[in-house]
Amino acid sequence: MQQRYVGNSGFRVSSLSLGTMSWAQETDEQDAAELLHEFVAAGGTVVDTAASYAQGRAEAMLGSMLGDVVARSEIVISTKAGVSSSDSRRSVNASRGAMLSALDASLARLGTDYIDIWFAHEWDPNVPLDETLSALELAQRSGRARYVGISNYNGWQTAKAAAVAGFTLVANQSEYSLVHRKAEEELIPAVEDAGLGLMAWAPLGRGVLSGKYRGQIPADSRAAQSRLAGYVEPYLESRPSRVVEAVAMAARGLGRTPMDVSLSWLLSRPGVATAIVGPRNAVQLKEVLDAQLTALPAEIARALEDVSAA
């Protein structure tokens, strides 16, 4: 798997990152161990998690595998702090105290002395930006985080954070795909201007760009589950469906899969360092790893961009 630099930094990541949002929920420990082993065997390095995923159980599951399934030195751990959820309620607290307490808890769950890249999970309008950034700076200065970044910040928020930080932010982690191109309006220009790299989550449009939702909702899919149905539903509407059909047509013409076409398009976009995929089992991971991930013909890329334009 290709290794790429993140923005203008020396931080290197695999072109695909393994997301763990489903771990300790839809994905049990046995399946997660298989996913991790196969991902690393294919050359993947980045495993992305967060303190809020399954109330910390996803981090704990990953930590339990270090040394047994993979060596700590084989993977790049990406995790996030500042968001918590309980009883279906989600709250944001990116204060210095909350961030640093969350970092210590993440390190304990992961069973490691350092995080490779640590993110402020979301902009907190109730906390001064300087305070949130001071937590990132201390984490990096103390060696608890090798690199730091921001997540789900929009364009102006990214530009402001990069401008006022007295240290180096290397990445923004945000949603980007053929069915969600809002990042192109302001975020990607801001990321590139600041020398950051984009770590794109939901690169398959929350699953719809795999083509599996064409005319149906599979019983074992996220859209069929009460916990995640709302996460997928916005991309089952008419405009995203037209994009999915265009991707499927391009895939047929190229002799590739819709998943391959979608990921290949994304990885060729300016500023993108890695695509965070979230397979829930080994079968889904194999489909991802079988993708060519090579640049699309220019005319195909332009056609997809035309049909997916907002």
Side-chain angles (χ1 to χ4, degrees), residues 131-238:
E131 183 175 335
T132 300
L133 293 176
S134 74
L136 296 178
E137 182 179 24
L138 179 58
Q140 187 175 48
R141 196 155 35 84
S142 65
R144 286 177 284 176
R146 299 286 171 83
Y147 293 93
V148 291
I150 50 180
S151 175
N152 299 314
Y153 279 37
N154 64 26
W156 74 261
Q157 291 164 350
T158 297
K160 184 174 181 179
V164 304
F167 56 97
T168 302
L169 296 168
V170 301
N172 183 315
Q173 190 178 120
S174 292
E175 184 173 8
Y176 186 28
S177 73
L178 271 166
V179 292
H180 187 93
R181 295 178 58 192
K182 187 176 180 180
E184 295 173 5
E185 297 172 10
E186 294 182 356
L187 176 59
I188 290 177
V191 163
E192 290 196 286
D193 182 69
L196 278 64
L198 182 68
M199 299 175 71
W201 62 265
L204 292 170
R206 308 186 184 189
V208 304
L209 288 168
S210 68
K212 67 182 176 184
Y213 291 108
R214 296 172 69 206
Q216 63 174 343
I217 295 180
D220 63 344
S221 68
R222 287 190 172 106
Q225 300 169 15
S226 58
R227 188 180 78 86
L228 292 170
Y231 177 70
V232 181
E233 281 171 1
Y235 296 148
L236 299 178
E237 298 172 355
S238 58

Side-chain angles (χ1 to χ4, degrees), residues 26 28 218 247 256 258:
E26 292 77 28
D28 63 23
V247 168
R256 296 163 71 170

Side-chain angles (χ1 to χ4, degrees), residues 235-273:
Y235 296 148
L236 299 178
E237 298 172 355
S238 58
R239 192 192 72 81
S241 293
R242 290 194 297 272
V243 177
V244 172
E245 291 305 315
V247 168
M249 182 181 298
R252 284 195 300 271
L254 294 170
R256 296 163 71 170
T257 65
M259 182 179 295
D260 185 9
V261 168
S262 301
L263 290 174
S264 296
W265 176 84
L266 181 73
L267 289 170
S268 70
R269 301 299 293 168
V272 175

